[in-house]
Amino acid sequence: MRDATLPDRHTELPLEQLVFPGEARDPGSNSPSPRTRVPLPWRRGATAGGRLGATWQRAAMSAHGDFDVLVIGAGFGGMYMVHSARQHGLRVHALEAGGDVGGTWYWNRYPGARCDVESLEYSYGFSDDLQQDWVWTERYASQPEILAYADHVATRFDLRRDISFTTTVRSATFDEERSRWIVRTEAGEELSGQFLVTAIGCLSAANIPPFPGLEHFGGEWQHTGRWPATGLDFSGKRVGVIGTGSSGVQSIPVIAGQAEKLFVFQRTPAYTVPAHNRALSGEEEKAIKADYPAFRAANRLMITAMGSRFPLNDVSALAVSPDERERLFEERWERGGLGFMGSFNDLLIDAAANELAAAFVRNKIRTIVEDPDVAGRLCPTTTIGCKRLCVDTGYYATFNRDNVELVDVAAAPITEITAAGLRTTERAFDLDCIVFATGFDAMTGALSRIDIRGRGGMPLTDAWAEGPRTYLGLGVAGFPNLFTITGPGSPSVLANMVVAVEQHVDWITGCIEHLRTRGVREIEPTAEAQDAWVTFVADVADFTLFPTCNSWYLGANIEGKRRVFMPLLGFPEYVEQCERVAAKGYEGFALI
Ligand code: N01
């Protein structure tokens, strides 16, 4: 069916490789290996985020207000952009709202925060010395460890001297006469750059639903994506967690262990698979470090740029016996992690195959959760993997605890936050703390919160009124010299993000070098190339089951947001396309 009905361009996407991230083949490497770690992260925040650091940065910024490249954000994308631009001899400066480097991992300090991509893969590959020296302690790194890594990278490559922290960008305007971007900060500073690179993250604009009454709440509340560095003490407290996506699923088991009483306000149950996190064995690390570049290269050939050690099982879920199917699902469940979606090759393209995987997980929930009524309410009915699959440690078992209560806010929605807690259409809850695990205005939210204006003063929000429109997810027609790292229309959140940002940064610096050696002042996608790309991204999504649920990939979690599938599935083909465009003198872009 797929070959017959798809447009030609789909044949370039090896959908038979539809695989989600996998994990190590080496099951014998479970032995705990406690190792001394690098210094912990908050140490650096205290200096770079302090008043002295901020003052020094501002002085440096105003002394050199005109740059070749301005970067917004100092997460993994912004950090590598600064490094790479410098390597290319460019004068670069980054502006970061947070007090230090780390982006997502700077802000998401909620209890239990941990990556769902394996640490040996979720790390930079641009420096072999770096990847050889750094030692990850666990299969899936915790937030403090990833932040420590970001700190190490910033120090090792002396990145902070070209980054202004606690600096929020208010606007960015393209000055057509000078061919420069003028960037203004909330504090009133003005900087200019020939090129503007946004590295503000796909999941950085926190979504706090506009429940009436929040301002009257007498307790403490936080959003998982804006968690205070000082943490929150839940001991002896009545806590409400709103939301059961990845952030809720990770934090709920930890909060349940601390709080006196935990209410979990669930609107849509999530599918989650166990992480089976463990200490990394020295042997496993040694094997990868013996030829890290080859390991990186193998992962870049995977559709999501990760998981080469445990790739997709290239068989349809409908083509095997029920016993064999159960055995293969069980094997992946026992290995843990996102690789579960690679049990068969059609889980994300065939609804019947998908339902088999969904039923397997529902059976697991009923086995783990003792109260059949609670188990039933935890069982999702949607397409598995359509919203990003969660990876957990003890999530379902948490609902066997006496101090945890699952509240169905689909049946009885939250109507208001009160001074004492919150109220649903059925009941009032007294709470000391509310945790908003309510997600993000994904992929476009952070961009639309900055007043970005291109040619003729056109606001980006107007250009994207019908949904984001980019060419390659890297450039926007009407916005010359703007590059969007992991922008909508690129693999971004459907790939290992560190690999995706490295690929984008390398492409951007290569492009800038091309322009400068030829004396080109401006580069901008043509409207035709952009239109074709937007159609292509939508066609690829339509080939999968992704558009069948209300996910943040589609912007469906934000009221009024246009429903458009934003990321592009297929990292290797995407890379080839980017390379083809560059080799043809930046085909699809106008160079002036
Ligand atoms: O956010 P989400 P997240 N009333 O949007 C609920 C990455 N990430 O922060 O599904 C009641 O997934 C909402 O309900 P519903 C990862 O890519 C990675 O958890 O809209 N509930 C949902 O349950 C992930 O996918 C890691 O019905 C409301 C929840 O809030 C992405 O970030 C860890 C509501 C939001 O879930 C986002 O995850 C954490 C309302 N008014 C995050 N509004 C790892 O690496 C929203 N909800 C492991």
Side-chain angles (χ1 to χ4, degrees):
M1 167 228 157
R2 67 179 103 133
D3 291 336
T5 56
L6 285 170
D8 280 354
R9 55 181 173 266
H10 280 95
T11 57
E12 289 179 28
L13 188 72
L15 284 155
E16 67 278 6
Q17 281 182 35
L18 197 66
V19 60
F20 267 52
E23 55 117 45
R25 276 180 184 284
D26 178 9
S29 58
N30 283 349
S31 59
S33 96
R35 274 175 281 176
T36 314
R37 292 286 325 118
V38 295
L40 284 172
W42 30 86
R43 158 180 86 68
R44 172 59 65 181
T47 52
R51 244 185 312 160
L52 184 61
T55 307
W56 187 89
Q57 292 288 356
R58 285 187 205 296
M61 189 164 75
S62 55
H64 309 282
D66 297 316
F67 297 92
D68 298 323
V69 182
L70 284 178
V71 183
I72 308 178
F76 277 37
M79 288 166 71
Y80 182 45
M81 188 66 221
V82 167
H83 176 69
S84 179
R86 271 193 205 156
Q87 300 294 103
H88 283 74
L90 298 165
R91 294 181 60 244
V92 60
H93 197 81
L95 305 168
E96 165 58 53
D100 201 359
V101 295
T104 283
W105 303 103
Y106 175 88
W107 296 108
N108 285 266
R109 298 167 191 248
Y110 60 83
R114 187 177 289 286
C115 194
D116 59 5
V117 177
E118 298 203 29
S119 44
L120 285 160
E121 301 186 26
Y122 191 88
S123 47
Y124 288 121
F126 71 83
S127 159
D128 199 44
D129 287 347
L130 169 65
Q131 65 189 5
Q132 290 295 335
D133 290 352
W134 184 262
V135 178
W136 293 105
T137 63
E138 294 178 89
R139 176 184 177 191
Y140 294 106
S142 66
Q143 174 272 334
E145 189 165 51
I146 302 173
L147 198 53
Y149 173 72
D151 170 51
H152 171 81
V153 172
T155 304
R156 184 175 186 128
F157 296 100
D158 191 18
L159 300 180
R160 289 186 178 88
R161 74 180 150 88
D162 287 323
I163 305 172
S164 297
F165 296 103
T166 55
T167 302
T168 302
V169 172
R170 192 181 64 210
S171 67
T173 307
F174 188 69
D175 177 338
E176 291 185 68
E177 271 178 29
R178 294 166 60 210
S179 291
R180 293 185 77 76
W181 281 94
I182 311 300
V183 169
R184 293 188 181 84
T185 71
E186 290 292 356
E189 294 106 334
E190 185 174 300
L191 298 88
S192 87
Q194 186 186 0
F195 299 97
L196 177 65
V197 180
T198 60
I200 41 185
C202 295
L203 294 156
S204 52
N207 169 45
I208 299 171
F211 297 120
L214 183 56
E215 67 279 14
H216 303 306
F217 181 53
E220 190 166 4
W221 66 268
Q222 294 292 344
H223 186 278
T224 50
R226 283 288 178 277
W227 206 259
T230 46
L232 250 70
D233 180 8
F234 293 115
S235 47
K237 304 256 173 74
R238 297 157 304 174
V239 182
V241 175
I242 305 174
T244 53
S246 296
S247 305
V249 159
Q250 285 190 329
S251 58
I252 284 164
V254 183
I255 296 173
Q258 299 168 359
E260 182 186 303
K261 175 80 186 175
L262 172 63
F263 297 96
V264 175
F265 296 97
Q266 170 190 273
R267 189 165 67 180
T268 311
Y271 290 99
T272 172
V273 295
H276 295 311
N277 187 36
R278 55 178 162 76
L280 276 177
S281 77
E283 283 311 305
E284 187 176 347
E285 182 193 340
K286 214 166 114 189
I288 291 198
K289 288 187 172 176
D291 194 352
Y292 224 138
F295 180 59
R296 300 280 189 199
N299 284 323
R300 282 170 66 103
L301 293 176
M302 309 302 290
I303 199 163
T304 53
M306 54 185 150
S308 63
R309 287 175 296 170
F310 193 50
L312 173 82
N313 173 31
D314 196 9
V315 174
S316 164
L318 306 169
V320 296
S321 70
D323 283 354
E324 175 66 354
R325 196 159 50 227
E326 189 74 5
R327 188 186 70 73
L328 286 164
F329 280 141
E330 189 67 41
E331 185 183 77
R332 297 262 172 167
W333 182 270
E334 281 311 311
R335 283 177 188 275
L338 297 171
F340 179 78
M341 290 306 289
S343 302
F344 296 97
N345 65 10
D346 48 0
L347 298 186
L348 274 169
I349 51 176
D350 185 299
N354 187 280
E355 174 52 26
L356 294 167
F360 176 88
V361 176
R362 288 195 287 267
N363 280 339
K364 285 289 182 191
I365 296 171
R366 290 193 195 95
T367 311
I368 299 167
V369 179
E370 290 154 8
D371 181 330
D373 172 54
V374 176
R377 284 186 282 135
L378 284 168
C379 282
T381 52
T382 47
T383 306
I384 184 170
C386 181
K387 289 183 175 182
R388 188 182 176 95
L389 189 66
C390 304
V391 177
D392 74 279
T393 298
Y395 178 69
Y396 293 126
T398 299
F399 293 90
N400 294 331
R401 295 176 64 107
D402 291 339
N403 69 333
V404 176
E405 184 177 333
L406 181 67
V407 183
D408 181 352
V409 293
I414 297 168
T415 51
E416 63 172 323
I417 309 289
T418 63
L422 67 76
R423 191 171 289 134
T424 69
T425 51
E426 275 180 358
R427 188 177 149 193
F429 294 84
D430 287 345
L431 301 169
D432 301 305
C433 304
I434 300 177
V435 174
F436 288 88
T438 44
F440 302 90
D441 183 352
M443 304 208 65
T444 56
L447 287 166
S448 61
R449 288 176 191 190
I450 299 172
D451 182 8
I452 299 176
R453 288 171 188 259
R455 285 197 195 285
M458 163 74 94
L460 184 66
T461 44
D462 284 7
W464 286 6
E466 301 299 312
R469 302 185 70 77
T470 70
Y471 179 44
L472 301 176
L474 273 163
V476 184
F479 295 78
N481 295 2
L482 171 70
F483 296 109
T484 49
I485 294 181
T486 61
S490 74
S492 55
V493 290
L494 293 181
N496 178 344
M497 282 300 273
V498 186
V499 176
V501 301
E502 281 189 311
Q503 185 261 334
H504 266 188
V505 168
D506 289 343
W507 191 93
I508 292 165
T509 43
C511 176
I512 292 175
E513 186 166 292
H514 176 93
L515 303 178
R516 289 170 78 90
T517 52
R518 285 161 183 77
V520 176
R521 279 160 57 96
E522 292 178 12
I523 182 168
E524 175 188 346
T526 66
E528 297 72 34
Q530 179 169 283
D531 289 350
W533 189 255
V534 169
T535 303
F536 172 68
V537 173
D539 285 350
V540 173
D542 286 344
F543 185 69
T544 71
L545 299 173
F546 278 117
T548 63
C549 69
N550 291 327
S551 68
W552 57 256
Y553 295 132
L554 284 156
N557 62 328
I558 302 297
E559 210 176 318
K561 192 165 172 175
R562 192 79 183 185
R563 193 181 174 95
V564 171
F565 192 80
M566 295 180 281
L568 170 70
L569 187 65
F571 183 78
E573 295 73 23
Y574 172 78
V575 173
E576 273 177 31
Q577 182 61 19
C578 288
E579 287 170 0
R580 251 194 310 269
V581 165
K584 290 185 176 175
Y586 295 90
E587 187 180 47
F589 288 91
L591 275 56
I592 301 163

